[in-house]
Amino acid sequence: MKNLFAQIMKFGVVGVICFVIDYIIGLSIMNIIVKLGGDPLFKLASMTGSALGFTVSVIINYILSFKFVFERKEDMDRRKEFAAFLILSVIGLGLNLLIIWICVGPVYSGITVLQRILNYDLAYTGAKAIATAVVMVYNFVTRKMFLEKKGE
């Protein structure tokens, strides 16, 4: 149990690093698109920024995860390992985008009170935080199940 706790803590540190990278890229892209195209592009800009940030962070996450968090399966080809990591991450991206779309689409766009108290940055930040929490649990569980070497 102690090893699992240490592994979860390392996973958390890697996750925070990748979240910061993902968030900075996502927020920057979202702001650029909204500034160029205006308010009607907010939902599309949020998802586009999130997808680009997520893509960069997945590559960094793969490198850091197998350097510091998970023990590799010796018999798994690295290309297959990366492909599996990528497939699991794309599913995570789908969850991420769905949650962000729900938060900035039907929830934020549909509730006038939220629009009055939250600007686009705060709405995106809240959506991203919720999506990150859900996807983080999904990522840890699936990577542990499918990619990590099983204990003898």
Side-chain angles (χ1 to χ4, degrees), residues 29-63:
I29 297 297
M30 189 242 349
N31 278 320
I32 290 168
I33 293 171
V34 169
K35 284 179 184 167
L36 293 174
D39 292 348
L41 293 180
F42 173 59
K43 286 182 258 181
L44 175 66
S46 295
M47 290 188 293
T48 302
S50 185
L52 291 173
F54 191 87
T55 301
V56 172
S57 74
V58 160
I59 295 166
I60 294 166
N61 197 310
Y62 172 76
I63 294 165

Side-chain angles (χ1 to χ4, degrees), residues 9-34:
M9 296 307 292
K10 290 176 191 175
F11 182 79
V13 170
V14 168
V16 167
I17 291 167
C18 292
F19 174 80
V20 169
I21 292 166
D22 182 355
Y23 178 77
I24 289 170
I25 291 170
L27 186 62
S28 299
I29 297 297
M30 189 242 349
N31 278 320
I32 290 168
I33 293 171
V34 169

Side-chain angles (χ1 to χ4, degrees), residues 42-43 101-120 123:
F42 173 59
K43 286 182 258 181
W101 178 80
I102 289 168
C103 290
V104 301
V107 175
Y108 179 75
S109 296
I111 302 174
T112 308
V113 174
L114 283 179
Q115 293 172 26
R116 288 188 195 133
I117 60 175
L118 300 175
N119 63 23
Y120 290 144

